[in-house]
Amino acid sequence: MSIQQNIQDLKLKLGSAVTLVAVSKTKPVEALREAYAAGQRDFGENYVQELVDKHEQLPKDIQWHFIGHLQSNKVKYMAPFVHLIHGVDSVKLLQEINKQGAKLRRVIPCLLQVYIAKEETKFGFDKQELLAFAQSDLLKTLNHVQVLGLMGMASNTDDESQIAAEFHELASMFATLKSNTAPNFDMRYLSGGMSGDYPIALKAGCNMVRIGSTIFGSRNYEP
Ligand SMILES: *Cc1c(COP(=O)(O)O)cnc(C)c1O
């Protein structure tokens, strides 16, 4: 199956209310051009240098999502053009994004990553931290970021009931935070689901999925 066909099939399955982020990490720009030709405009990358290189080479109407683990000292390279940063896993990182946004006079859209998996290797806010930060005065001072939702990664397991429980937990935090009225806080996007678990994420209420291998084929190396 071609990349073009894969995208068309996915779009049919997802429907128009769900945003498909095509995860193109490790894939050559030719593969992204094929997806672009199929109408795909949202692409997700995990490595800052790769994101910057691809942004330079590809059409400027692409919306670039950063979905990897982000180090504070690398924010500046993508700050001018990134469309949405999914993996904001600490207040310190959000403060750095705010600082870079201020320098550019740009408000940078972000999602807060929530720790929902039962795996030590995953990053993110835990529930208490997240609820406390959403109420804090500090959040209100960060006027060069806009928190547009939450992102989560479920455990890498065959146990579908566990995956469902984790995505439901994420969705319940999202629902709770919808009533938060801070001006730079607006729960619009719930980013959950990858090739292996997106149907479960959708059932739990996610409206943004990050899909790589189902579109581009398996990767030669993993991050
Ligand atoms: C690589 C990656 C994806 C896509 O994974 P696939 O299994 O190839 O769909 C989604 N989200 C994150 C955070 C990733 O690192």
Side-chain angles (χ1 to χ4, degrees):
M1 285 248 276
S2 68
I3 289 173
Q4 209 145 338
Q5 190 68 54
N6 293 341
I7 290 201
Q8 281 158 6
D9 286 358
L10 268 171
K11 289 232 156 126
L12 276 177
K13 278 187 199 150
L14 297 173
S16 57
V18 175
T19 303
L20 170 62
V21 178
V23 176
S24 45
K25 61 186 174 202
T26 81
K27 297 295 172 184
V29 290
E30 294 71 41
L32 282 80
R33 283 190 204 283
E34 261 185 70
Y36 184 89
Q40 183 63 28
R41 292 295 179 273
D42 290 275
F43 289 88
E45 290 285 339
N46 288 53
Y47 309 101
V48 176
Q49 188 58 52
E50 191 174 341
L51 175 73
V52 170
D53 289 347
K54 286 174 172 169
H55 168 256
E56 276 170 17
Q57 294 177 60
L58 288 161
K60 293 297 169 268
D61 62 342
I62 288 179
Q63 303 188 329
W64 291 101
H65 298 243
F66 188 79
I67 64 169
H69 180 59
L70 180 56
Q71 289 166 300
S72 290
N73 61 353
K74 301 224 168 127
V75 173
K76 56 180 179 284
Y77 302 113
M78 68 169 110
F81 67 87
V82 70
H83 177 71
L84 186 62
I85 302 178
H86 290 229
V88 180
D89 59 1
S90 72
V91 175
K92 184 175 150 273
L93 178 59
L94 194 64
Q95 285 176 300
E96 174 62 20
I97 297 169
N98 186 68
K99 185 173 135 194
Q100 296 301 329
K103 272 192 198 167
L104 296 161
R105 296 168 191 265
R106 178 172 186 228
V107 176
I108 301 179
C110 297
L111 304 181
L112 301 181
Q113 184 168 356
V114 187
Y115 182 84
I116 52 171
K118 311 273 174 294
E119 287 167 25
E120 294 292 319
T121 52
K122 301 243 158 74
F123 298 96
F125 285 85
D126 71 31
K127 187 175 176 178
Q128 297 316 319
E129 257 182 320
L130 177 68
L131 297 179
F133 177 58
Q135 303 282 343
S136 69
D137 291 334
L138 174 60
L139 169 66
K140 295 180 194 130
T141 67
L142 303 178
N143 45 30
H144 286 89
V145 293
Q146 206 181 10
V147 177
L148 291 183
L150 304 179
M151 180 269 212
M153 289 176 83
S155 297
N156 185 9
T157 170
D158 291 333
D159 182 351
E160 297 202 346
S161 64
Q162 185 182 336
I163 296 171
E166 291 172 3
F167 282 132
H168 276 110
E169 190 187 337
L170 182 68
S172 114
M173 284 182 249
F174 185 72
T176 302
L177 291 172
K178 273 201 167 167
S179 61
N180 188 308
T181 55
N184 56 350
F185 197 89
D186 183 7
M187 291 292 104
R188 258 184 250 172
Y189 301 117
L190 189 56
S191 166
M194 323 191 345
S195 293
D197 60 14
Y198 76 85
I200 306 174
L202 292 177
K203 264 195 210 149
C206 293
N207 62 9
M208 187 176 263
V209 293
R210 310 173 307 269
I211 297 186
S213 41
T214 295
I215 296 173
F216 296 109
S218 58
R219 288 176 291 275
N220 295 331
Y221 64 95
E222 283 296 329

